[in-house]
Amino acid sequence: MIQAIVFLPLLAAIVAGLGNRALGNTVAKAITTGALFVSCALSWPIFIDFLSGNAAAQVVPVLQWMKSDDFDVLWSLRVDTLTAVMLVVVTTVSALVHLYSWGYMAEDDSQPRFFAYLSLFTFAMLMLVTADNLVQMFFGWEGVGLASYLLIGFWYHKPSANAAAIKAFVVNRIGDFGFMLGIFGTFLVFGTVSIPEILAAAPGMAGSTMGFLGGRVDTMTLLCLLLFIGACGKSAQLGLHTWLPDAMEGPTPVSALIHAATMVTAGVFMVCRMSPMFEASHTAMTVVTIVGAATALFAATVGTTQTDIKRVIAYSTCSQLGYMFFAAGVGAYGAAMFHLFTHAFFKALLFLGAGSVIHAMHHEQDMRFYGGLRKSIPITFWAMTIGTLAITGVGVAGVFGFAGFYSKDAIIEAAFASGTQIGGIAFAVGVFAALLTSFYSWRLVFLTFFGTPRWAASEHIQHAVHGEHDAPSAEHGDSPHHDVHAPEGTAGYHPHESPWSMLVPLIALSLGAVFAGWVFQRPFLDAEGGAEFWKGSLFFDAHLMHEMHLVPTWVKLSATFAMLAGLLIAWWAYIRDTSVPARFAGTFRGLYAFLLNKWYFDELYNLIFVRPAFALGRLLWKKGDEGTIDRFGPNGAAALVAGTSRVSVRLQSGYVYTYAFVMLIGLAGAATWAIAG
Amino acid sequence: MNQLDFPILSIMLAVPMAAGIACLYLKDEGARWLALIATLVDLALGILLWATFDSSPGAPQWQFQEHVGVFGRFAWALGIDGIALMLIMLTLFLMPICILASWTSIEKRVPEYMAAFMLMEVLMVGTFAAQDLFLFYIFFEGGLIPMYLIIGIWGGANRIYASYKFFLYTLLGSVLMLIAMLWMANYAGTTDIPTLMQTDFPVEAQSWLWLAFFASFAVKVPMWPVHTWLPDAHVQAPTAGSVILAGVLLKLGGYGFIRFSLPMFPEASSALIWLILVLSGVAVVYTSLVALVQNDMKKLIAYSSVAHMAIVTIGLFAFNRQGLEGSMMVMLSHGLVSGALFMCVGVIYDRLHTREIARYGGLSNNMPRYALLFMLFTMASIGLPGTSGFVGEFLSLMGAWQVSSWATAVCTTGIILGACYMLYLYWRIAFGVSDKPDAAAMPDLNGRELISLGAIAAVVLWMGVYPESFLKPMRNDIGSLVARVDRAKPRFDPDFAVGKRRMPTAHAEGEAH
């Protein structure tokens, strides 16, 4: 059954991709979407079996892969609790995104290609989560990277989409560089790449040292940090996050599936999968906590100033991933996975909702040109509101809460309960980031759905109104807007609610955003229920989970207060008195510019990596190869031999004979030897 | 020993030889067909060879041996092990594809061109099959003559400079190697390669011999800084010439290291390993950066070849199984992938007659099949898991770590830089807007091109998903090589063995007493 879940999407991708125009849009879409719904339908029973405690972990071998001495890698599919959780997340969101894309991509020229890529992505992601060894995980890891590259650059005629696609691939490769070295080191230390064997032996390696780059370092710290570099790349953690906002160049369903719900959480999944290894290094855990907390804070601050609706959600994703990492860093892997699980639903919901808004607003993505949309697109409005309630963590303890209320609060409480200094800092950062999360999320809702329409200044809306309906798709995505203070008015444009193919996924995900936390909190988090549920598929610290439930009341309420404060500020600045944001930006000009320009990471990297690489390449080519090696090598030799500028003419007739002559001498020598002997 | 009743290796040499001579007496069309048929017959013989090759554990290392004394101690001695088998298969597989790639693009002196390729096939297969030192020398050095001719007669505008540069680099190495070979034959009293591989040469002499062979092999690989002939040779060579140059000729260097330098001079290999590590590390970073700024498609791929071959050299000198098997896989994969990439260049060069990257763009629109296959080969070149590129790269770097984590870390940056230049290339060729009318009017792959590239694509995926087919025949031979060099295994980066756990104090004291 697991084979069907994993390989159906691959089969669908191959058929739809190679069939392409021969199959036609509808057939290709039906095959891929159908395959995904079958996979999804097969995945839920597995998850439910694990929930009810009836299932045991199993490994299904498929084929020999690489074998070299002790290094023996099989293609195999592992199913345990952790995999089961990921299976339902991946197949459910993917199936819904496939369905959603029927509506969203209806006008696109290359629909079979799009659906083939989506299914290919799903296959790679499933290979990643079912991996029983690190190398297969790396296969999935790179496979999702490929699909992400292809989908970000799906509209390949746009230079910005190409640049974003390459950036995503290359930045991920920097992470993969660490991952690969991590695998090499792991194999050297443990003599195997099989995950269960590594995890069984990991505690025994705590405190040992190994040679690396000329020095001796703590084995487990080194290996964990190398693997963590990989996780940082894939999960867009601070430093390697720059590709994620640019990835929004891809079609919105892609952002929902890959850059919110599934692929970007692969890093968190990996850390949880390898959790017994991380537990063997205190230093590595500290680094994970710090990086996670820093990302949660950084991305949330940037999210408050962005105006592109997708970029706000992208930074929000980045920030939420930071939460998951610091949860893992303080040892609350169950909480990290729980947030991953709920986040998949509400973040996919927010992205698909944003897609629905963009669809309604004729590809306009700038929130400054939205406003007052709640009456025109009510279902989208409610879906987005539910998503926002979920991400900001609205709820009353002991009664009911939306999904994020259980998972995010658990992370914040776990950080406090860990009792370490770093945990304390992570707790404070988590609470403050929760305030920012609430602020930017509600800001998004208020700017989009409330107030008066500001559509008139949008170029996209102008195009739509003036009948240039099917303008070349070059205008997908954001085009430059110079007018910051948009005049109000609808310009006579009437936004329409999206078709049902798009609304059904929104409704389905809304259910997840409302109930996922409340229904599943016990198995994921509970001190006793958790150990039983996870069955050792990740390092489950029952003691920490127990402590978490005993934190002081002010700690429990802090996240809720932060959420309310953020909501209040957003309401004040974007509904009550809309001049506040401009005045704030005017007063704190430097801070505003710093945040608006995303802490200048792109500019910095461009300055210290990208431009020097090209300059160095040119220098080595012109001054190294041509100016030094050739000059003193072959060209110099030629000048010596011939002493004339007509060297090539002379050599043209002569060199083959010279060469043959040398060979002849050789043969003569050989013959002499042979006869003499 | 020979599993078959007939001297299959000699026949594999005789078929293209006869066809090559016959080509000279035929018209253009006849020469093309004869060359294609001859290469396909050889490929069929190769498949038979592979099918009957015994790779079970304990099988003899040398199979299909033939031995006919010529005069004195000089003999027509052929025979293969698994390593040679795989490289012969690579040659045989690429040859018909080369003929197809030249089908219409070569217009002048077709019979001579086909004859040159037939001779090339004879000499390449002969190099891998030769078991006599001087027979090897003839094939090895002789193989370059048809290559000079292919570049010098059917090459581009600047072909003379390119072939002369190729010649100058090669000359020095071949003289030194010849002297070393004569010395070795004299010392050991035999020219039988299998015997020489078991001979323990005096340690003092080994370094000189190693360096003499190195001078020849490093040029062929090519290693930095003797690589500058390669971009020029590729740029000027016709498409099929580039395919065979990248696919097979570059493998001669790696084959030389694995057949001569390592088993014959293990101590010297170990003592001089720093040279390999430094040159490989520099090559990866240096040539990748240079590849990034190229405007000429062929030059870009040529520079990427140098970077990939550096992974081969670092893996070969890892002195362990992963490194050696990985290097062999990189060689096979690089032969296929860079050959395919040069063909991808050739396909559009045939249509537009320029290699300048900026003259293309948006080819995904009018050439979707081409774009798909080009993407596959790009990804294989980058080393995406699931393609052939990954298996070798991963294994050889993994093996290399056990020798030097520094060199491995430096060489592994190749996966980042490789992605940069290949994806940048792909963007400029296949993505973007079709704003050049002549490029936008190019037709998609024709049947001949589709078959050639499709065949390579199938093998690239096969090798990526189930590399066992290719690793298995080499397993015994690499095992005996590892055993042979084990005594000289270098250990100079801090001891790689994992340090012991810090023992509880009481326990440690207990041991001390």
Side-chain angles (χ1 to χ4, degrees):
Chain A
M1 189 157 73
I2 182 69
Q3 292 96 321
I5 296 175
V6 175
F7 291 110
L8 268 180
L10 174 67
L11 204 63
I14 293 173
V15 171
L18 294 183
N20 209 322
R21 292 199 171 86
L23 286 178
N25 288 346
T26 315
V27 178
K29 290 196 287 191
I31 289 173
T32 50
T33 313
L36 255 296
F37 272 93
V38 172
S39 278
C40 179
L42 293 172
S43 297
W44 277 95
I46 294 182
F47 178 61
I48 290 166
D49 276 354
F50 276 99
L51 268 183
S52 58
N54 294 334
Q58 55 159 339
V59 178
V60 182
V62 179
L63 188 70
Q64 176 74 47
W65 191 12
M66 290 188 257
K67 182 167 163 37
S68 178
D69 216 7
D70 306 338
F71 180 75
D72 193 354
V73 183
L74 254 65
W75 296 105
S76 55
L77 304 173
R78 177 183 185 80
V79 187
D80 59 10
T81 312
L82 191 58
T83 303
V85 172
M86 293 304 287
L87 279 182
V88 293
V89 168
V90 173
T91 54
T92 308
V93 178
S94 180
L96 291 174
V97 165
H98 273 76
L99 177 61
Y100 179 91
S101 303
W102 282 64
Y104 192 83
M105 301 298 285
E107 287 169 22
D108 203 275
D109 309 331
S110 0
Q111 294 176 46
R113 186 164 64 93
F114 181 78
F115 280 80
Y117 287 170
L118 279 187
S119 294
L120 177 70
F121 165 80
T122 313
F123 161 70
M125 190 70 202
L126 291 170
M127 287 299 275
L128 195 166
V129 301
T130 55
D132 190 42
N133 60 63
L134 283 175
V135 188
Q136 187 183 326
M137 190 188 273
F138 192 71
F139 166 83
W141 196 264
E142 292 268 284
V144 293
L146 167 69
S148 164
Y149 161 79
L150 292 170
L151 283 164
I152 294 170
F154 180 72
W155 287 313
Y156 56 76
H157 47 75
K158 283 168 66 182
S160 57
N162 278 308
I166 292 187
K167 186 171 175 184
F169 199 95
V170 170
V171 175
N172 267 296
R173 272 268 157 148
I174 296 171
D176 296 348
F177 168 79
F179 196 167
M180 236 167 126
L181 289 182
I183 300 176
F184 298 157
T186 307
F187 176 71
L188 185 69
V189 172
F190 295 97
T192 174
V193 287
S194 153
I195 292 172
E197 289 176 29
I198 294 169
L199 298 186
M205 287 290 170
S208 65
T209 61
M210 71 184 291
F212 182 65
L213 300 187
R216 282 201 85 78
V217 291
D218 185 84
T219 309
M220 294 316 291
T221 303
L222 173 71
L223 298 182
C224 290
L225 289 183
L226 285 173
L227 294 176
F228 182 60
I229 292 173
C232 280
K234 196 92 339 193
S235 293
Q237 292 300 287
L238 192 62
L240 294 179
H241 67 281
T242 54
W243 64 273
L244 183 59
D246 288 20
M248 298 301 125
E249 285 290 340
T252 308
V254 173
S255 312
L257 174 61
I258 302 186
H259 306 121
T262 55
M263 182 185 87
V264 288
T265 61
V268 181
F269 167 78
M270 189 243 268
V271 172
C272 289
R273 175 63 95 197
M274 306 311 286
S275 46
M277 233 175 128
F278 281 81
E279 284 293 322
S281 167
H282 183 68
T283 318
M285 296 284 280
T286 308
V287 172
V288 173
T289 312
I290 293 172
V291 171
T295 309
L297 180 67
F298 152 78
T301 59
V302 176
T304 58
T305 57
Q306 300 301 305
T307 55
D308 182 308
I309 187 169
K310 285 180 72 182
R311 285 189 181 243
V312 174
I313 308 178
Y315 277 105
S316 160
T317 305
C318 197
S319 169
Q320 299 301 312
L321 290 166
Y323 273 101
M324 296 174 208
F325 273 112
F326 80 68
V330 299
Y333 303 99
M337 282 307 295
F338 191 36
H339 198 50
L340 187 160
F341 181 76
T342 61
H343 176 261
F345 294 107
F346 62 71
K347 190 52 66 66
L349 172 63
L350 284 170
F351 260 121
L352 294 184
S356 179
V357 172
I358 293 166
H359 187 76
M361 291 301 283
H362 210 264
H363 304 299
E364 177 56 76
Q365 297 192 2
D366 194 321
M367 297 190 298
R368 287 171 299 184
F369 305 102
Y370 290 170
L373 281 167
R374 73 179 179 283
K375 291 192 198 79
S376 338
I377 44 174
I379 299 179
T380 305
F381 164 66
W382 281 109
M384 289 287 276
T385 307
I386 288 170
T388 306
L389 290 169
I391 189 175
T392 56
V394 173
V396 179
V399 185
F400 179 78
F402 289 87
F405 172 74
Y406 295 98
S407 58
K408 188 157 64 170
D409 286 20
I411 290 176
I412 291 172
E413 286 161 22
F416 184 87
S418 71
T420 59
Q421 199 180 3
I422 294 293
I425 295 169
F427 163 73
V429 169
V431 171
F432 183 60
L435 187 154
L436 294 174
T437 305
S438 171
F439 170 75
Y440 67 66
S441 302
W442 287 112
R443 169 177 174 264
L444 184 151
V445 172
F446 294 154
L447 276 174
T448 306
F449 296 105
F450 289 83
T452 46
R454 301 179 296 276
W455 314 336
S458 161
E459 289 173 15
H460 298 273
I461 298 297
Q462 292 291 349
H463 278 296
V465 172
H466 295 116
E468 300 163 39
H469 196 74
D470 277 321
S473 35
E475 57 166 312
H476 279 293
D478 44 2
S479 56
H481 295 282
H482 304 294
D483 189 0
V484 178
H485 299 288
E488 298 187 349
T490 64
Y493 181 73
H494 299 286
H496 291 289
E497 187 60 278
S498 303
W500 280 104
S501 60
M502 290 167 69
L503 296 179
V504 168
L506 287 182
I507 294 165
L509 288 169
S510 296
L511 291 175
V514 174
F515 296 111
W518 184 63
V519 173
F520 296 111
Q521 56 159 327
R522 191 178 172 282
F524 277 87
L525 293 176
D526 192 72
E528 290 85 39
E532 202 178 300
F533 172 64
W534 291 111
K535 286 202 188 73
S537 61
L538 50 67
F539 184 88
F540 190 80
D541 188 344
H543 178 69
L544 178 66
M545 291 296 120
H546 191 66
E547 289 289 308
M548 200 180 88
H549 292 292
L550 299 178
V551 293
T553 315
W554 68 268
V555 173
K556 288 194 170 170
L557 290 178
S558 57
T560 306
F561 280 124
M563 179 271 293
L564 289 173
L567 168 62
L568 207 64
I569 299 170
W571 173 79
W572 177 57
Y574 291 95
I575 293 200
R576 174 82 201 289
D577 178 2
T578 49
S579 67
V580 169
R583 274 189 282 134
F584 179 86
T587 317
F588 300 98
R589 206 175 294 267
L591 177 66
Y592 178 72
F594 184 66
L595 296 181
L596 188 65
N597 290 296
K598 311 144 211 164
W599 295 27
Y600 296 102
F601 267 101
D602 283 329
E603 287 77 4
L604 184 71
Y605 284 176
N606 213 14
L607 194 69
I608 60 177
F609 296 121
V610 181
R611 277 164 45 192
F614 278 89
L616 196 60
R618 241 167 267 141
L619 180 82
L620 293 174
W621 179 29
K622 291 294 177 192
K623 301 278 182 228
D625 267 20
E626 293 183 355
T628 308
I629 299 175
D630 278 357
R631 185 173 155 209
F632 297 109
N635 299 356
L640 268 175
V641 172
T644 161
S645 60
R646 290 167 53 80
V647 50
S648 62
V649 180
R650 293 261 299 271
L651 279 164
Q652 179 182 0
S653 53
Y655 70 88
V656 175
Y657 302 107
T658 317
Y659 186 78
F661 180 62
V662 171
M663 257 189 86
L664 211 63
I665 297 177
L667 290 181
T672 315
W673 173 83
I675 295 163
Chain B
M1 90 145 242
N2 192 345
Q3 289 91 326
L4 298 160
D5 299 333
F6 55 94
I8 184 165
L9 291 171
S10 291
I11 293 174
M12 283 168 69
L13 296 179
V15 168
M17 195 70 226
I21 293 169
C23 274
L24 293 171
Y25 297 95
L26 288 171
K27 292 261 180 332
D28 291 5
E29 198 59 21
R32 287 188 187 115
W33 279 105
L34 180 61
L36 182 63
I37 291 166
T39 50
L40 287 174
V41 168
D42 242 22
L43 177 59
L45 286 170
I47 292 168
L48 179 66
L49 188 72
W50 191 0
T52 43
F53 185 84
D54 182 3
S55 53
S56 59
Q61 179 172 12
W62 302 101
Q63 304 184 21
F64 304 101
Q65 282 183 314
E66 299 168 25
H67 193 284
V68 181
V70 179
F71 63 88
R73 284 181 295 190
F74 182 70
W76 175 261
L78 299 177
I80 55 164
D81 63 351
I83 295 168
L85 172 73
M86 283 296 111
L87 289 167
I88 288 175
M89 286 312 297
L90 177 67
T91 313
L92 297 176
F93 177 72
L94 286 176
M95 271 297 168
I97 290 173
C98 283
I99 303 295
L100 285 176
S102 324
W103 205 258
T104 52
S105 57
I106 298 296
E107 287 161 348
K108 66 169 186 180
R109 302 169 83 170
V110 177
E112 286 88 348
Y113 178 88
M114 293 300 166
F117 264 87
M118 293 296 96
L119 179 61
M120 180 81 106
E121 178 161 20
V122 175
L123 297 170
M124 291 297 104
V125 173
T127 309
F128 297 129
Q131 288 215 309
D132 181 277
L133 196 59
F134 292 111
L135 193 61
F136 171 84
Y137 175 77
I138 295 168
F139 286 134
F140 184 85
E141 297 296 345
L144 303 175
I145 292 176
M147 199 67 223
Y148 296 143
L149 297 176
I150 289 166
I151 297 176
I153 298 175
W154 294 274
N158 206 8
R159 56 183 184 264
I160 301 300
Y161 175 70
S163 53
Y164 135 76
K165 210 168 169 181
F166 180 29
F167 152 74
L168 257 189
Y169 269 116
T170 320
L171 183 68
L172 177 72
S174 73
V175 173
L176 292 175
M177 184 173 82
L178 177 64
I179 296 167
M181 280 181 165
L182 287 169
W183 192 91
M184 284 160 67
N186 201 33
Y187 176 85
T190 176
T191 50
D192 183 45
I193 292 177
T195 314
L196 288 169
M197 284 169 71
Q198 300 300 327
T199 308
D200 294 319
F201 289 97
V203 175
E204 318 80 72
Q206 275 192 22
S207 297
W208 295 108
L209 296 170
W210 191 92
L211 283 171
F213 277 89
F214 179 76
S216 181
F217 299 149
V219 170
K220 299 288 184 325
V221 166
M223 296 178 75
W224 184 86
V226 289
H227 66 284
T228 63
W229 62 271
L230 185 70
D232 283 309
H234 270 309
V235 165
Q236 298 305 328
T239 300
S242 288
V243 173
I244 225 59
L245 183 58
V248 185
L249 274 179
L250 297 194
K251 307 301 167 294
L252 293 181
Y255 180 72
F257 282 130
I258 209 169
R259 179 66 76 231
F260 294 90
S261 305
L262 279 166
M264 295 184 193
F265 325 120
E267 278 80 15
S269 299
S270 179
L272 291 163
I273 190 173
W274 57 271
L275 190 63
I276 299 281
L277 296 181
V278 170
L279 295 186
S280 304
V282 172
V284 168
V285 177
Y286 183 112
T287 54
S288 295
L289 287 173
V290 174
L292 192 61
V293 295
Q294 296 304 312
N295 305 315
D296 181 308
M297 276 183 281
K298 272 191 156 180
K299 247 187 175 163
L300 193 155
I301 298 168
Y303 273 110
S304 85
S305 288
V306 183
H308 282 128
M309 294 310 285
I311 308 282
V312 172
T313 48
I314 195 180
L316 285 177
F317 286 87
F319 285 77
N320 56 43
R321 212 181 245 281
Q322 284 92 26
L324 282 162
E325 293 187 338
S327 290
M328 282 304 299
M329 291 302 284
V330 178
M331 284 206 261
L332 298 177
S333 162
H334 176 265
L336 296 169
V337 173
S338 67
L341 285 171
F342 279 119
M343 287 188 49
C344 285
V345 175
V347 164
I348 53 178
Y349 181 82
D350 285 347
R351 287 162 173 67
L352 213 58
H353 299 287
T354 175
R355 292 179 310 267
E356 200 184 326
I357 297 169
R359 297 270 285 108
Y360 298 94
L363 296 189
S364 295
N365 291 322
N366 51 320
M367 304 176 74
R369 288 175 189 167
Y370 172 79
L372 176 68
L373 285 165
F374 188 19
M375 169 58 75
L376 175 72
F377 297 127
T378 300
M379 284 300 152
S381 170
I382 291 173
L384 195 83
T387 65
S388 59
F390 173 72
V391 178
E393 197 172 86
F394 190 84
L395 286 175
S396 61
L397 288 170
M398 176 182 258
W401 174 303
Q402 299 171 37
V403 177
S404 164
S405 52
W406 258 116
T408 309
V410 171
C411 288
T412 309
T413 59
I415 71 162
I416 303 170
L417 296 168
C420 294
Y421 61 73
M422 285 310 293
L423 294 181
Y424 187 41
L425 171 72
Y426 192 82
W427 172 8
R428 290 177 290 170
I429 300 282
F431 287 161
V433 190
S434 317
D435 51 359
K436 291 112 189 158
D438 47 357
M442 299 195 302
D444 205 350
L445 299 178
N446 60 33
R448 183 172 48 80
E449 291 159 342
L450 196 62
I451 288 171
S452 315
L453 289 174
I456 304 182
V459 180
V460 163
L461 289 174
W462 174 16
M463 205 184 272
V465 174
Y466 190 69
E468 183 65 10
S469 310
F470 303 88
L471 286 167
K472 192 160 183 277
M474 301 190 291
R475 191 159 286 142
N476 290 338
D477 309 314
I478 287 180
S480 45
L481 179 58
V482 171
R484 167 90 182 143
V485 297
D486 193 54
R487 62 167 197 246
K489 202 169 183 171
R491 305 181 186 282
F492 63 88
D493 214 7
D495 196 25
F496 289 102
V498 174
K500 287 277 171 280
R501 263 183 97 181
R502 281 195 293 271
M503 291 291 170
T505 326
H507 187 94
E509 279 174 0
E511 274 186 337
H513 285 297

